[in-house]
Every structure is written in C-alpha cells, then in structure tokens.
Amino acid sequence: MIIPETYFTVHEELMLLLYSVIFGAAAGVLYDLFRTLRAALPHNNVLVAIEDIAFWVICSFSVVAFTSVMARGEFRFYYIIGGITGFALYFFTIGRVVIKIVRRLIKIIYLPLRIIFAPLKALYALICEKVIVKFVGISKNALKRCENLKIPLIDRGRMLYNKKTNIKRKNVKCVGKKVKHKEQKKSSG
C-alpha cells in the first residue's frame, strides 16, 4: 500500500514560493498587455472596467490552476503573497520600462497615420455636421407638432373640476342638496 505524501518539505515550500513569484511576474506581463491596448486605442471607463474584470478573472483561474497542478490542490496563503510580490517587482521595475517604450513606439506609429488619415477625418467631420443639422431640424419640427396637439381629456378635466368658470353648473348633474340649486338661480338672475 502506497501512502501519498500529505505535507510539503521546506525545500518544496520554498520552490512553490519561487514559482508563485514567477507566476506574479507573468500576471504583470498580462497586465502590461492590457496597458498596451489602452495606450494604443482610446478607452472609456466602461472598457477599462471590463478589461480589469477580465484580468482578475484570468488571474483567479490561474491561481486555481497553479494550486491544482503545482501544490497538489493545497492552497497556502504564501502563494498569494508570492504572486503579489512578483507582480510588484515586475510592475515597478521592468514594467515601467516596457510601458515607456511601448508608448514611444505608439507615438512614432501614430504620427504618420494622423497625417495619412487627416483628410478622411475632415470629411467625416463635415458629413457629421451636415447630418446633425438635418436631424436637429427634423426633431424641432416634430416637437412643434407635438406641442400643437390638444389632448381632449385634459380640457374636459379642467372644465369639470374648475368651479369658478362653471358657476351655474348647466351641464353638470347636481350632486348634493337640491335646495341650493334654487338659491343659485335667484342670486345669478
């Protein structure tokens, strides 16, 4: 009968810590890919949030895979500490240099592209200007038509409940005492 090992030796734990530091540096490289994408293409806050969520989902699945493969399914807190240490070491050393180089390369590439696409950008702006002016004119006309519509339910409601304009109450059935009806005829006549 073969009994599986149920504990790690000190040497195995140190190797797992080293592997987790390397794993954290790999997560830093993945994060730099997302940062490169942000530098190359304009992003709004929603896209940045989606990219951050994707990064964390990838990292969490990777930690589960690391724990299953390298550590025989045993989770230890020092994996996380090693991963954070590796990420921080990469991010604050090599990562800064890599991002500076990437941003310079993007500037070098964008300069000729801006010159090439400047006429297309001007044409696009002209077309948008014409379309927006036409759309605004159409929408103003539609709003004027809607304002000129009279909704009969509102007018009837005003006539029924406005007692000052209908003192005699000619077309309204008398609800209440009938004695007051005779007194109103004498006072109005």
Side-chain angles (χ1 to χ4, degrees):
M1 175 177 200
I2 299 173
I3 299 173
E5 256 184 68
T6 57
Y7 64 92
F8 290 112
T9 63
V10 175
H11 175 64
E12 288 174 335
E13 286 183 351
L14 286 174
M15 290 305 293
L16 284 173
L17 180 64
L18 177 66
Y19 290 147
S20 66
V21 169
I22 293 169
F23 171 75
V29 171
L30 176 66
Y31 190 69
D32 271 352
L33 291 175
F34 284 114
R35 288 172 63 191
T36 303
L37 185 64
R38 289 179 196 165
L41 302 172
H43 281 61
N44 60 8
N45 290 337
V46 174
L47 289 175
V48 170
I50 290 171
E51 287 177 356
D52 287 342
I53 291 169
F55 171 75
W56 285 110
V57 166
I58 291 169
C59 284
S60 62
F61 281 121
S62 299
V63 166
V64 170
F66 177 82
T67 303
S68 297
V69 173
M70 301 297 289
R72 297 181 291 213
E74 295 180 22
F75 181 76
R76 305 288 181 179
F77 188 68
Y78 63 86
Y79 302 159
I80 302 299
I81 293 174
I84 291 171
T85 303
F87 182 85
L89 285 173
Y90 174 81
F91 186 79
F92 292 114
T93 57
I94 300 170
R96 288 187 182 230
V97 174
V98 168
I99 287 300
K100 282 182 183 179
I101 292 171
V102 165
R103 286 186 178 158
R104 286 185 184 160
L105 286 174
I106 288 172
K107 284 181 183 179
I108 290 170
I109 292 171
Y110 271 169
L111 184 64
L113 289 177
R114 282 186 190 158
I115 294 169
I116 292 170
F117 289 113
L120 293 175
K121 185 178 177 182
L123 179 65
Y124 176 75
L126 181 67
I127 291 171
C128 285
E129 182 181 329
K130 297 291 183 182
V131 169
I132 288 172
V133 168
K134 186 70 173 171
F135 177 73
V136 169
I138 290 171
S139 65
K140 283 184 180 179
N141 289 338
L143 285 175
K144 284 181 184 177
R145 288 184 196 139
C146 289
E147 288 173 359
N148 292 336
L149 290 176
K150 289 187 179 181
I151 301 173
L153 290 177
I154 294 174
D155 291 340
R156 286 182 192 154
R158 285 186 198 151
M159 185 178 79
L160 181 63
Y161 293 110
N162 193 350
K163 294 179 182 176
K164 291 181 182 177
T165 58
N166 195 5
I167 294 174
K168 295 180 182 180
R169 302 172 58 102
K170 290 181 181 177
N171 296 327
V172 180
K173 291 182 181 178
C174 184
V175 181
K177 297 180 181 178
K178 294 185 179 180
V179 178
K180 288 186 176 181
H181 182 63
K182 291 180 182 177
E183 290 175 354
Q184 284 180 355
K185 281 186 179 180
K186 290 179 184 176
S187 65
S188 63

